[in-house]
């Protein structure tokens, strides 16, 4: 699949969420343990109305566990937003082995979310599949370090970009080495074979310049290799105008704080004399994708929706729309935002129960409030 390179500018991030269905649970700061709390919630700071809205990742690889859904949930609060990410997750020789990458740093910087890097220090042997004896589960972060950083953020007055830059420069190597050492300890204590620590240590050396961790070197090593090809591609106006669905888009984003950030879109295509930036979610078994999928897609559109000066080559002001496409076993299609009558007709046609009707109405509110498009259609045939 081809990829195309575009630019954009994000002056500010404004977005109102509607798809969070429950209030965030509140935890007292003194009793907060990252390993036992829900995936997202609020941390009380001892003063009425003063909270940190947190989310936590199970693994640094976002494509396997949908952490964006949990960050999306924190947008229901006006509190300072923090996300806690394990720097490495090694599941053992018979499992996955993931590291944090620069795309994650870019997203969090742009959306003003403070990162806390953490490391897993304990785990249990996987008992579910005897064939995968060298695999661990129920991994637990060092909770004391996370709480220490939460306290620092509660007092921190600068932006998430400043915090994240400082945190990575000052703490990345220490947290990374703690993670590697902890997995060696788990290997000994649980008698389980982990991935070779040398691979992680060799990668850490690639993140360094003059023997110190470098964010630029980190970006160079961890940005998807496909981005290298994007730099060499030239997109002409004729090519862009002929785009159809199925073309990947990589955006090089800037903002008032400086720097360059990298974001990728599922699909970009040209329609009705404007560029469509689209995230797509599909289900082959149900009528609508899961709430987890929907919120994951909506989160990605937050930044695209707030872009200005989208361009390619010498064209720096291309008209565009942002769209979430949801497909399933449906009859007909519905474009949001639209009237309540159209929503009711679509829900009745597809015999939606009350919960799915509520989902459609919340999506209609979100589309209208945030000036984005949501297309809901059957998962076969052309729907745009």
């Amino acid at each position: 699949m081809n990829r195309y390179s575009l630019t954009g500018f994000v002056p500010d991030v404004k977005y109102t969420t509607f798809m969070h269905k429950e209030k965030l649970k509140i935890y007292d700061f003194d009793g907060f343990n990252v390993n036992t709390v829900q995936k997202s919630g609020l941390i009380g700071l001892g003063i009425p109305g003063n909270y940190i809205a947190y989310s936590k990742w199970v693994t640094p690889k976002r494509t396997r566990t949908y952490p964006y859904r949990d960050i999306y949930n924190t947008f229901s609060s006006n509190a300072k937003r923090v996300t806690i990410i394990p720097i490495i997750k090694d599941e053992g020789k018979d499992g996955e082995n993931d590291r944090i990458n620069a795309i994650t740093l870019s997203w969090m910087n742009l959306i003003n979310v403070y990162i806390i890097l953490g490391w897993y220090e304990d785990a249990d042997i996987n008992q579910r599949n005897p064939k995968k004896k060298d695999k661990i589960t129920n991994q637990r972060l060092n909770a004391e370090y996370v709480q220490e950083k939460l306290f620092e953020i509660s007092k921190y007055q600068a932006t998430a970009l400043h915090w994240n830059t400082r945190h990575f420069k000052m703490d990345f190597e220490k947290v990374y080495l703690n993670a590697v050492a902890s997995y060696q300890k788990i290997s000994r204590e649980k008698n389980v074979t982990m991935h070779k620590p040398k691979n992680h240590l060799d990668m850490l050396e690639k993140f360094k310049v003059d023997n110190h961790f470098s964010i630029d070197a980190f970006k160079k090593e961890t940005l998807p290799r496909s981005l290298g090809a994007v730099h060499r591609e030239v997109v002409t106006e004729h090519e862009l105008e002929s785009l159809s669905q199925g073309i990947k888009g990589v955006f090089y984003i800037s903002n008032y704080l400086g720097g360059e950030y990298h974001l990728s879109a599922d699909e970009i295509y040209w329609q009705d004399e404007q560029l469509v930036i689209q995230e797509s979610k599909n289900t082959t078994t149900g009528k609508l994708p899961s709430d987890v999928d929907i919120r994951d897609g909506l989160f990605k559109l937050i930044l695209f929706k707030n872009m200005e000066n989208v361009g390619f080559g010498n064209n720096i002001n291309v008209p565009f729309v942002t769209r979430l496409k949801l497909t399933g076993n449906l009859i007909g299609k519905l474009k949001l935002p639209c009237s309540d009558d159209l929503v009711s007709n679509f829900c009745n046609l597809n015999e939606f129960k009350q919960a799915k009707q509520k989902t459609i109405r919340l999506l209609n509110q979100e589309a209208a409030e945030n000036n984005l498009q949501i297309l809901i259609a059957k998962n076969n045939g052309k729907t745009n």
Side-chain angles (χ1 to χ4, degrees), residues 41-56:
L42 296 174
I43 305 171
L45 299 176
I47 301 173
N50 194 2
Y51 301 102
I52 287 175
Y54 78 89
S55 58
K56 63 177 183 177

Side-chain angles (χ1 to χ4, degrees), residues 204-215:
L204 179 60
E205 290 305 308
K206 295 180 180 180
F207 297 162
K208 294 182 181 181
V209 174
D210 296 331
N211 206 35
H212 294 285
F213 174 82
S214 163
I215 289 180

Side-chain angles (χ1 to χ4, degrees), residues 302-352:
I302 292 175
L303 281 177
F304 291 133
K305 178 261 173 187
N306 280 282
M307 285 194 303
E308 294 181 356
N309 300 330
V310 170
F312 60 97
N314 294 324
N315 295 332
I316 59 172
N317 197 17
V318 176
F320 74 96
V321 295
T322 49
R323 177 180 293 170
L324 177 65
K325 180 181 176 183
L326 306 175
T327 51
N329 298 318
L330 296 165
I331 301 171
K333 64 181 179 181
L334 183 68
K335 291 184 177 181
L336 306 177
C338 67
S339 68
D340 289 341
D341 287 343
L342 287 175
V343 169
S344 295
N345 290 340
F346 183 76
C347 290
N348 291 335
L349 183 65
N350 286 280
E351 299 181 343
F352 282 160

